[in-house]
Amino acid sequence: MAKIQTPHAVRGTQDIVDEAQNSFAHVVETFERVSKVYGFAPVQVPIIEQTSVFARSLGESTDVVSKEMYTFEDRGGDSITLRPEFTAGISRAFLTNGWQQYAPMKLSAHGPLFRYERPQKGRYRQFHQIDAEIIGAAEPLADIELLIMADQLLKELGIDDGVILNLNTLGDADSRDAWREALITYFQDHKDHLSKDSLDRLERNPLRILDSKDEGDKKLCQSAPIIDDYLTNEAQEFFGQVTQGLDAAHVRWTRNTRLVRGLDYYRHTAFEFITDRLGAQGTVLGGGRYDGLIENLGGNPTPAVGWAAGIERLAMLIDAPENSGPDAVLIPLGDRATETAIAILSDLRRHNIVTDMAYKGNMKKRMQKANAKNAKLVIIMGDDELDRGEVAIKNLISGEQQSCKIDAIVDFVKKS
Ligand code: ATP
Ligand code: MG
């Protein structure tokens, strides 16, 4: 018979185990705790959506929509896309469920996302985000609250050192249109030096050029017109309130006039928390205001603001929390002992005591196993002890060994 070929993991996907899993879980737990403190309600939205949910809201000419989406036709002939981000799906849910009546809503989510990208450190095809959105709030207070929460999250994860909040405003529609015209003129004049991708962007979406990762483009962008010269008074006022709020809460930020985000829906505030510790994948958290998105999905104009952060990138920056070992490991010696051990093991576990059993190999092997698991106690059960209705309990931290009546084991372990 021909040998069966072992399947391989899909390129850009990861199996997350051990330390990486500990770090991953710690990021999620910290996010859940902090977002609760700020009054955000957790939601779950589908991993699959109609393709139009993303195509309409992210913008047809963005990298995500034009090159990175996992889109397929399902058996019923509908065009379905694996979500590349949360915001569009949450906005769709807002409309589907008639949540307008509850606005402003503070929502949080986390889970897997899919983008067809070139995999490298910190960049995967299946990755995970934590995400926070405030929908139905036009006030700069919403932007401020989200930024303070992001800042606190990074501090609680212990990675605020070396991570800088880059802040920009993209202005309102009028500011943006005027800036856009100026950018087109500027890049037209320097057409010969633009990358092929950016020449295409110049036609379709010139703001995108500012987000280019091409070195030549980046250089050109340094002298490109900045939004400040085109901001309306209203837009300037809005941005001023955001920065004042951050200052009042002692959140450190720096102005980055060239910051635009990878998606089309942003207005006013745009921001990224950037680190120099992850090479090219330095953006750990990004977001901004997306007042136009819900209208693009066919809803009434609804102001909103939010951010998302890559869990893998955050997890790479933190020290993995130590795995705490079991409270006790049982070592039964012989068939009779094994039967009693099954009863004791389930009794301990029903008392929510973290317990395991080492049932393979000789005594030495099993002790090594208990040590490797970082257990506090080992409960050794030989026939002689059992005949007396007892077990031997060894404390692996102090090295002390004591005998204990079988019906007193739960109390003994609880007190240790
Ligand atoms: P980048 O410029 O690095 O491609 P982006 O602007 O496409 O990022 P967003 O859409 O703003 O990223 O997503 C928010 C965060 O999600 C990013 O800051 C990053 O931490 C994370 N992220 C985005 N794409 C990936 C990916 N392919 N793999 C891992 N994390 C990612
Ligand atoms: Mg990207």
Side-chain angles (χ1 to χ4, degrees):
M1 209 172 82
K3 194 174 180 304
I4 296 171
Q5 189 94 45
T6 320
H8 58 79
V10 173
R11 189 163 136 81
T13 65
Q14 301 191 94
D15 303 309
I16 304 170
V17 294
D18 296 335
E19 273 193 19
Q21 166 56 25
N22 287 353
S23 301
F24 191 104
H26 182 66
V27 170
V28 174
E29 281 160 24
T30 310
F31 171 69
E32 287 183 327
R33 183 168 47 74
V34 172
S35 55
K36 194 170 167 192
V37 168
Y38 280 76
F40 282 70
V43 290
Q44 312 242 24
V45 289
I47 290 177
I48 52 175
E49 293 277 358
Q50 285 190 301
T51 299
S52 59
V53 168
F54 305 112
R56 272 200 233 151
S57 42
L58 277 57
E60 300 278 0
S61 61
T62 57
D63 280 357
V64 173
V65 173
S66 62
K67 307 194 273 219
E68 298 174 359
M69 292 206 306
Y70 278 89
T71 298
F72 61 95
E73 199 176 285
D74 73 6
R75 287 166 198 274
D78 290 331
S79 180
I80 301 292
T81 294
L82 300 184
R83 64 183 181 201
E85 60 133 44
F86 275 108
T87 310
I90 291 177
S91 300
R92 194 274 309 143
F94 182 86
L95 293 172
T96 307
N97 299 296
W99 287 338
Q100 290 90 340
Q101 53 179 321
Y102 306 117
M105 279 190 103
K106 301 204 271 189
L107 302 171
S108 63
H110 64 85
L113 305 160
F114 303 85
R115 293 184 192 177
Y116 195 78
E117 301 202 66
R118 196 168 66 77
Q120 49 200 295
K121 187 178 172 226
R123 192 176 293 285
Y124 315 98
R125 291 185 174 174
Q126 174 173 338
F127 65 102
H128 301 76
Q129 280 183 347
I130 48 176
D131 178 276
E133 315 279 352
I134 303 183
I135 307 185
E139 296 75 16
L141 278 175
D143 311 48
I144 295 166
E145 180 174 27
L146 276 164
L147 281 164
I148 298 173
M149 176 163 102
D151 179 75
Q152 180 168 342
L153 174 76
L154 298 180
K155 285 204 168 91
E156 296 213 8
L157 288 171
I159 53 180
D160 53 314
D161 201 29
V163 177
I164 299 162
L165 165 56
N166 282 245
L167 191 64
N168 197 16
T169 174
L170 305 175
D172 48 23
D174 287 347
S175 325
R176 231 175 115 123
D177 287 349
W179 185 35
R180 194 187 134 101
E181 286 307 313
L183 283 172
I184 293 175
T185 310
Y186 173 81
F187 287 120
Q188 289 279 9
D189 290 347
H190 298 86
K191 239 176 150 165
D192 302 345
H193 301 284
L194 279 179
S195 70
K196 204 179 143 292
D197 278 348
S198 283
L199 273 176
D200 188 45
R201 292 180 183 120
L202 185 55
E203 297 281 308
R204 307 207 291 162
N205 196 343
L207 253 67
R208 291 265 59 77
I209 299 175
L210 296 174
D211 200 32
S212 170
K213 298 197 165 75
D214 178 90
E215 286 306 322
D217 289 349
K218 278 189 189 169
K219 226 166 131 198
L220 262 191
C221 288
Q222 279 170 14
S223 315
I226 61 171
I227 181 77
D228 292 40
D229 297 328
Y230 307 93
L231 283 180
T232 61
N233 288 339
E234 289 83 357
Q236 216 160 1
E237 169 74 7
F238 190 97
F239 191 56
Q241 286 183 323
V242 172
T243 57
Q244 275 168 28
L246 294 178
D247 292 341
H250 307 294
V251 172
R252 288 181 43 208
W253 57 276
T254 177
R255 179 72 198 281
N256 179 349
T257 52
R258 263 168 287 279
L259 184 117
V260 292
R261 306 267 308 128
L263 312 169
D264 276 355
Y265 51 56
Y266 289 106
R267 298 282 177 279
H268 289 292
T269 325
F271 54 85
E272 289 185 345
F273 286 79
I274 301 174
T275 174
D276 51 13
R277 282 187 281 160
L278 289 177
Q281 273 59 253
T283 304
V284 290
L285 186 152
R289 180 161 276 283
Y290 53 94
D291 292 349
L293 192 158
I294 292 192
E295 222 177 326
N296 281 350
L297 289 175
N300 291 325
T302 308
V305 51
W307 58 249
I311 299 178
E312 289 87 347
R313 288 191 199 173
L314 292 172
M316 282 193 286
L317 291 170
I318 66 174
D319 298 322
E322 284 270 323
N323 250 345
S324 56
D327 297 314
V329 168
L330 265 56
I331 302 184
L333 302 167
D335 289 346
R336 198 148 56 86
T338 301
E339 215 178 290
T340 315
I342 294 170
I344 295 172
L345 182 65
S346 35
D347 199 29
L348 286 162
R349 286 174 169 170
R350 284 174 188 141
H351 281 86
N352 283 315
I353 295 165
V354 183
T355 321
D356 223 329
M357 180 150 87
Y359 45 80
K360 262 197 164 113
N362 58 27
M363 181 67 183
K364 195 175 155 209
K365 273 244 164 70
R366 299 197 207 187
M367 281 301 281
Q368 280 170 350
K369 184 107 188 176
N371 268 309
K373 278 184 188 283
N374 232 340
K376 244 184 272 164
L377 305 171
V378 282
I379 304 177
I380 303 157
M381 311 170 57
D383 287 345
D384 292 349
E385 286 101 334
L386 286 180
D387 287 340
R388 293 195 302 270
E390 286 177 356
V391 297
I393 301 186
K394 182 167 182 181
N395 187 316
L396 290 183
I397 299 160
S398 65
E400 198 186 338
Q401 183 159 326
Q402 274 175 276
S403 58
C404 174
K405 288 275 176 228
I406 287 178
D407 52 13
I409 294 177
V410 170
D411 279 343
F412 186 102
V413 176
K414 273 189 180 167
K415 280 192 199 116
S416 297

